[in-house]
């Protein structure tokens, strides 16, 4: 007789580098929810979850992990979650999605856990400490616990409180910095100032946690791009976070910023302008040791990645290389990248068949829709990922 598979709640998103982490939902949605560029939690109401409820979910995840292990023994895999175990679980309808996610987490063996949703430091410190302590107790095999939070929320916590949270098990906080320019932050209704970003970042670092700051190239639009690039670099220079992650702006119809795009209040940077903006941003990063990543699918140049200060010139060279491409190749790279075929400028030379295919597509679209239509086509390709 089959037993009902344990299930627990999971939220809609996690950072790209947490794709293989165990996902547990600690709060629901976003307590701010007003950023004009953000599509994620709109029309969904924020709520705290009670400590008891979260503990029940952690217990359900533990039960799921134990069941997976049990199944592995039954299948002759000696407790390991190997291909045979994972394919049995993924192909059987008796298991819930959350159960499968635990099995996949064990299969990947990352040991990482990401606490969802948008701003978990909004929880009272004592509650969060209790949850983290319980989680570590139930899952001694977890080696890293991370979460999202907002700078505005972090500045309400003392370094002492943040230190208690770190000691209870929270290793890393991902913060949506987006911009260090006050005019951009205000226009986008981010609900935080550059000074608060700096203070929050410093507190997280002082508490001994790792800090990952998300920056949004393009958020200044054509009018404020330079201020956005320079001020964001200045703010990061004051914080020196462990990680700076680039995640470029896209504006799908469902975000409030789309209205500004239509009315002309906001003018979007095109890909070439964006590359120049990233160059100015990188040039202005000084005296810090952060690791930069561009692993988000919405980024034009994923190769802009490395550790400061040593890799700064290498990253700048990637942008220069893109800007120096002949017009036709730059266009082919953009279509290839936005369409998901290219991950590197070097891909232009690696695969002549793909190059020829994209080249024909560019000619066809330009012939049918003209240069503006081609730009729209590239934007449509990019927006599929938002
Ligand atoms: S704080 Fe984050 S999740 Fe909330 S609306 Fe802003 S960008 Fe979206």
């Amino acid at each position: 007789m089959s037993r009902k598979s344990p299930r627990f709640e999971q939220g809609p998103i996690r950072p790209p580098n947490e794709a293989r982490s165990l996902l547990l939902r600690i709060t629901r949605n976003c307590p701010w929810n007003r950023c004009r560029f953000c599509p994620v939690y709109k029309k969904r109401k924020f709520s705290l979850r009670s400590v008891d409820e979260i503990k029940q979910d952690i217990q359900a995840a533990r039960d799921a992990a134990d069941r997976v292990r049990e199944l592995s023994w039954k299948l002759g895999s000696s407790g390991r979650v190997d291909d045979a175990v994972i394919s049995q679980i993924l192909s059987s309808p008796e298991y819930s999605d959350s159960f499968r996610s635990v099995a996949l987490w064990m299969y990947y063996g990352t040991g990482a856990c990401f606490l969802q949703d948008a701003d978990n430091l909004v929880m009272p410190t004592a509650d969060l400490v209790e949850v983290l302590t319980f989680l570590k107790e139930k899952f001694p095999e977890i080696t890293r616990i991370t979460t999202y939070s907002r700078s505005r929320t972090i500045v309400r916590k003392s370094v002492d409180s943040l230190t208690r949270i770190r000691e209870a098990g929270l290793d890393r906080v991902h913060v949506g910095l987006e911009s260090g320019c006050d005019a951009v932050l205000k226009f986008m209704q981010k609900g935080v100032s550059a000074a608060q970003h700096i203070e929050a970042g410093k507190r997280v670092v002082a508490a001994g946690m790792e800090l990952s700051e998300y920056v949004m190239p393009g958020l200044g639009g054509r009018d404020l791009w330079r201020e956005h690039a320079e001020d964001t670099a200045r703010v990061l220079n004051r914080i020196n976070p462990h990680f700076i992650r680039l995640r470029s702006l896209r504006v799908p119809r469902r975000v409030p910023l789309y209205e500004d795009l239509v009315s002309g209040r906001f003018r979007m940077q095109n890909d070439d302008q964006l590359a120049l903006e990233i160059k100015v941003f990188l040039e202005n990063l000084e005296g810090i040791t952060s690791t930069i990543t561009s692993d988000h699918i919405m980024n034009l140049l994923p190769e802009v990645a490395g550790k400061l200060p040593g890799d700064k010139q290498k990253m700048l060279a990637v942008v220069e290389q893109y800007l120096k491409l002949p017009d036709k190749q730059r266009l082919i790279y953009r279509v290839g990248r936005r369409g998901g075929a290219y991950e590197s400028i070097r891909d232009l030379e690696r695969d002549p068949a793909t190059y020829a295919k994209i080249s024909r597509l560019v000619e066809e679209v330009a012939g049918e829709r003209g240069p503006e239509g081609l730009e729209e086509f590239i934007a449509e390709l990019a927006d599929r990922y938002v």
Side-chain angles (χ1 to χ4, degrees):
M1 194 177 74
S2 82
R3 287 174 286 159
K4 211 171 154 219
S5 83
R7 56 184 71 219
F8 56 93
E9 197 168 319
Q10 293 184 308
I13 63 161
R14 39 83 191 144
N17 69 316
E18 304 283 357
R20 294 179 171 187
S21 302
L22 175 63
L23 303 179
L24 295 168
R25 194 178 208 182
I26 298 298
T27 59
R28 293 190 186 100
N29 308 314
C30 172
W32 175 249
N33 220 2
R34 287 184 229 171
C35 301
R36 293 190 69 71
F37 57 86
C38 173
V40 185
Y41 302 102
K42 297 285 179 288
K43 297 192 181 144
R44 295 190 211 170
K45 208 168 167 292
F46 172 76
S47 63
L48 284 170
R49 304 187 68 204
S50 73
V51 171
D52 281 350
E53 203 185 346
I54 301 167
K55 281 182 170 178
Q56 278 168 27
D57 271 11
I58 294 170
Q59 185 60 55
R62 178 70 265 166
D63 295 344
D66 293 344
R67 281 272 296 277
V68 172
R69 201 68 77 195
E70 214 178 281
L71 185 68
S72 159
W73 282 104
K74 261 192 216 155
L75 292 173
S77 294
S78 311
R80 280 174 294 108
V81 185
D82 54 16
D83 290 348
V85 177
I86 202 70
S87 46
Q88 162 87 20
I89 290 172
L90 295 182
S91 62
S92 166
E94 79 175 273
Y95 301 113
S96 65
D97 287 346
S98 50
F99 184 93
R100 287 176 185 184
S101 77
V102 171
L104 279 166
W105 174 67
M106 295 167 78
Y107 176 71
Y108 293 130
T110 60
C113 175
F114 179 71
L115 306 179
Q116 303 170 291
D117 283 348
D119 189 12
N120 284 326
L121 290 174
V122 84
M123 275 177 80
T125 299
D127 289 358
L128 190 49
V129 165
E130 193 177 337
V131 164
L132 287 162
T133 308
F134 187 76
L135 177 59
K136 295 279 273 191
E137 208 177 282
K138 291 288 164 185
F139 280 93
E141 66 267 51
I142 286 179
T143 52
R144 188 188 79 192
I145 304 177
T146 62
T147 195
Y148 273 135
S149 195
R150 298 181 62 230
S151 292
R152 179 77 174 268
T153 300
I154 294 167
V155 292
R156 296 201 189 105
K157 291 238 190 277
S158 65
V159 173
D160 277 355
S161 295
L162 292 168
T163 304
R164 279 176 57 208
I165 292 167
R166 194 255 306 154
E167 285 168 351
L170 189 65
D171 299 292
R172 183 183 298 172
V173 181
H174 295 272
V175 172
L177 180 120
E178 328 298 3
S179 179
C181 171
D182 278 325
V184 174
L185 292 167
K186 192 165 172 218
F187 184 84
M188 293 295 163
Q189 290 175 218
K190 183 72 196 168
V192 65
S193 65
Q196 286 170 323
H197 270 324
I198 294 170
E199 183 55 32
K202 285 183 163 181
R203 284 191 198 189
V204 171
V205 173
M209 284 187 252
E210 286 188 324
L211 176 64
S212 170
E213 297 274 14
Y214 274 87
V215 167
M216 192 167 271
L219 201 61
R222 290 193 191 179
D223 298 319
L224 288 172
W225 73 268
R226 188 172 282 280
E227 291 86 337
H228 172 51
E230 291 175 353
D231 291 353
T232 303
R234 248 194 301 278
V235 164
L236 290 165
N237 291 344
R238 298 279 305 280
I239 302 171
N240 192 12
H242 300 80
F243 301 95
I244 297 170
R245 298 183 192 276
L246 305 188
R247 173 182 54 185
S248 303
L249 174 74
R250 298 304 316 169
V251 188
R253 282 170 189 268
R254 63 186 190 281
V255 298
L257 187 61
Y258 185 77
E259 289 165 25
D260 300 313
L261 205 58
V262 172
S263 72
R265 272 185 80 216
F266 182 79
R267 296 186 307 141
M268 187 110 175
Q269 294 267 77
N270 65 28
D271 281 344
D272 293 357
Q273 291 163 334
L274 209 56
L276 183 61
E277 178 188 317
I278 290 169
K279 180 170 177 269
V280 171
F281 169 67
L282 291 172
E283 282 168 347
N284 279 274
L285 290 172
E286 293 288 349
I288 57 174
T289 53
S290 313
T291 295
I292 298 187
T293 64
S294 299
D295 55 359
H296 206 284
I297 187 73
M298 285 183 277
N299 290 322
L300 178 69
L301 300 169
E303 292 162 283
V304 174
K307 181 149 170 59
L308 293 168
D311 292 333
K312 183 168 170 172
Q313 291 313 318
K314 185 194 88 178
M315 291 188 272
L316 279 167
V318 171
V319 185
E320 291 285 1
Q321 194 190 357
Y322 168 80
L323 288 170
K324 280 189 188 147
L325 285 173
D327 287 352
K328 186 177 173 203
Q329 283 196 10
R330 220 165 50 242
L331 210 49
I332 289 173
Y333 174 74
R334 290 173 62 205
V335 172
R337 172 67 192 148
R338 298 312 193 185
Y342 288 162
E343 287 188 359
S344 153
I345 297 171
R346 289 191 303 273
D347 289 342
L348 283 169
E349 285 163 7
R350 269 192 199 136
D351 180 358
T354 304
Y355 184 93
K357 214 160 126 188
I358 300 174
S359 177
R360 274 197 304 277
L361 180 67
V362 167
E363 277 165 26
E364 267 170 40
V365 178
E368 277 170 26
R369 296 168 63 172
E372 269 186 33
L374 182 59
E375 284 301 322
E376 279 168 19
F377 174 73
I378 296 172
E380 284 159 17
L381 285 177
D383 286 344
R384 289 176 313 153
Y385 298 113
V386 191

